[in-house]
Every structure is written in structure tokens, then in C-alpha cells.
Amino acid sequence: MTTATSWTPTGEDLATAYARHADSLRGALRHALVTRALLNHLPAEPQRIVDIGGGAGHQAIALARAGHIVTVIDPDAAMLQRAADALNAEDDTVAARVTLRQGYGEHARDILGGEPVDAACCHGVLMYLDDPAPLLATLVDTVRPDGLISVLTKNRAALAMRPGLEGRWADALAVIDQTTETGNLGLPSRADDLDSTQHALAAAGATTEAWYGVRVFTDHLGDTPVGADFDQILTAEWAAGTRDPYRGVARLFHLIARRSR
Ligand SMILES: C[S@@+](CC[C@H](N)C(=O)[O-])C[C@H]1O[C@@H](n2cnc3c(N)ncnc32)[C@H](O)[C@@H]1O
């Protein structure tokens, strides 16, 4: 089994660092952009969704608010506790739509009792694995024929953009041809090529339906908090993330694929 190599749960430290990031402008934009894209691809009727590496539940809660039924699978107890706390603050109807299960994504089929779901999400997880292919194959295997697969990961083609826009010239040069770097949580993490991710999904039986760039204009803004201009920034990021050439230099790419029938 392939498991996380870089994301070694350290209890509260990592969960706290991730919560800080998720509350920042960059984190809030990421979740809002991914939710917007996903809801465009999912039918309005309630779908059964698994969120592999769903962590503190940001995506699961957004999907549950839209009426979907979500199981979060994550190995990190501290992240799942954050998700449980966030669910406690939700309306009972929304909270009842989310189930939290501790475990590795590679075991998703078993954890779900062998029942295929309508959609599988895996956001911000591949970068912590040495080899993304086995988990990508698991995602495809977890959904029913014609089911949706949603993958968000770090864009290798744009690795030098953040240090470059921050004026860290030596760092920009150091990563320009690399596949790993240290991200904002202080962990080493890997970046992926869009093409190789699409090929790995195709080899597992899923075809790309669309892809989006996530954080084109704002990735160099550090821990800038969410401000009154959030909706305006979101609109600009969405416009850039949905068209070339801008989406190609986004920090993350969000790939939506569909399992063959
Ligand atoms: C950066 S967080 C992202 C959380 C969430 N998906 C989001 O977008 O907010 C990465 C999460 O991946 C989880 N993770 C790491 N390796 C995993 C694996 N092999 N299977 C499932 N989850 C994993 C970690 O425990 C952590 O909660």
C-alpha cells in the first residue's frame, strides 16, 4: 500500500497550521474555487461522494450544504477532530450528511463497504505521496461507471511562480525544473504534471472532462486575510482559472474526470 510519506500526522501542529492556511485569503479562495467547479459538474440531486484525504472537512461541508451525502476518509485523527468540530457548528441537517472515517484513501473501497459512490474527491493529497498513480487508480475504482473524479494538486509547470512573484530569485531558479519543494505548511511536497495526471487517470479508466487553474493572481500573498474584496478576487480568479494561458501558471490544478461507462 502507498501511504503518505511527507504528511506524517504530528497531532495538533499540522492541523493548526492547515487551519491557519484555510482561513487565509489563499485557503478560502482555493476552497471556494474548487467548490464552484465541482458544483458545476455535479447534478443538483443529492450525490454520494467520498472525499479522500478530506482533512478538516472544508470540502465535505460545502458539498453537504448543497445537499450531497459525503464520507470523509483521512488517516489523521487531528484533522478529523477539526472536521468534527466544524460539523458541530453546522445545521443538524447538513451535519447529518457527513460521515467521518479514519483510514488511508488506498483502502477507500473497503472502508465504503464495496459500494461504489457517485463521485470521489481527492484535494491536496497527491503532493504528499511518492507515487500518485495507485491513489488515482483507487479514485476511479471507487466510483460507479460514469461517476465523477475530482483531483486538486500542485502544478509542476508553475512551481517557480510563487518564489518568483515574491522576489525570491534564487528559490525560483532552484525549483524551476524540480518536482518537489517545501510548501506553506513547511512540509516537503511534490508537484504533478497535468498531462501525467490525465494519463494515470486514463490508464485507470477515466477521461478528463475539464480542468481549472486555482490561484493565478493571489498565490504570492502569503497569509493575507480574507477582506471585503473577497468576492471580487474570487471572480477574477475564476475568470483566470477557466482560460488559457492564465490557468497554466496557477499554483494548483483542479482536474475533473469521468469514469468510462
Ligand atoms: C493538505 S490536507 C488537505 C485536506 C483537504 N482535502 C482539503 O482540501 O482541505 C492533506 C490531507 O491528506 C491526508 N492524507 C495524506 N495521505 C493520505 C492518504 N494516503 N490517504 C488519505 N488521506 C491522506 C492528510 O491526513 C491530510 O488531512
Side-chain angles (χ1 to χ4, degrees):
M1 178 183 70
T2 304
T3 54
T5 52
S6 311
W7 185 285
T8 306
T10 54
E12 267 310 292
D13 293 354
L14 213 43
T16 303
Y18 189 69
R20 197 169 45 240
H21 165 67
D23 287 343
S24 71
L25 172 65
R26 291 191 309 182
L29 280 170
R30 164 213 171 132
H31 289 300
L33 289 163
V34 169
T35 301
R36 181 168 173 173
L38 256 177
L39 292 181
N40 280 349
H41 289 268
L42 287 167
E45 304 77 53
Q47 301 290 292
R48 292 157 303 135
I49 300 175
V50 62
D51 190 3
I52 290 181
H58 294 89
Q59 197 59 65
I61 288 173
L63 291 169
R65 284 179 184 161
H68 302 297
I69 314 296
V70 191
T71 301
V72 172
I73 298 179
D74 198 290
D76 188 332
M79 291 294 276
L80 289 176
Q81 186 54 53
R82 295 268 170 172
D85 294 345
L87 283 170
N88 277 337
E90 287 294 313
D91 192 278
D92 285 354
T93 327
V94 172
R97 296 186 187 127
V98 180
T99 304
L100 305 178
R101 302 290 305 271
Q102 189 168 6
Y104 282 99
E106 292 79 355
H107 295 162
R109 261 315 270 260
D110 290 343
I111 293 170
L112 295 168
E115 266 304 295
V117 290
D118 300 310
C121 301
C122 185
H123 302 152
V125 181
L126 297 185
M127 54 258 255
Y128 303 109
L129 307 180
D130 282 341
D131 177 6
L135 191 53
L136 289 170
T138 301
L139 289 171
V140 179
D141 190 43
T142 304
V143 299
R144 61 167 166 79
D146 212 29
L148 204 79
I149 294 127
S150 168
V151 173
L152 178 77
T153 195
K154 197 184 283 188
N155 182 11
R156 202 204 61 76
L159 219 46
M161 289 301 289
R162 180 188 287 178
L165 290 173
E166 288 175 353
R168 293 188 284 116
W169 310 119
D171 291 344
L173 269 175
V175 296
I176 204 153
D177 285 325
Q178 297 301 311
T179 53
T180 58
E181 57 146 29
T182 298
N184 49 278
L185 298 178
L187 299 176
S189 57
R190 228 177 25 77
D192 283 296
D193 282 309
L194 176 66
D195 282 355
S196 45
T197 308
Q198 296 189 102
H199 285 140
L201 284 168
T207 311
T208 301
E209 186 161 289
W211 72 274
Y212 304 87
V214 172
R215 286 203 313 253
V216 175
F217 299 134
T218 50
D219 191 64
H220 61 299
L221 296 181
D223 285 340
T224 299
V226 171
D229 52 1
F230 183 77
D231 287 345
Q232 210 176 2
I233 301 174
L234 182 60
T235 304
E237 284 283 5
W238 177 261
T242 49
R243 47 172 61 67
D244 291 324
Y246 298 102
R247 63 180 180 166
V249 292
R251 175 67 167 179
L252 307 162
F253 63 80
H254 181 199
L255 179 56
I256 304 278
R258 202 168 282 280
R259 182 176 179 166
S260 318
R261 284 170 195 272

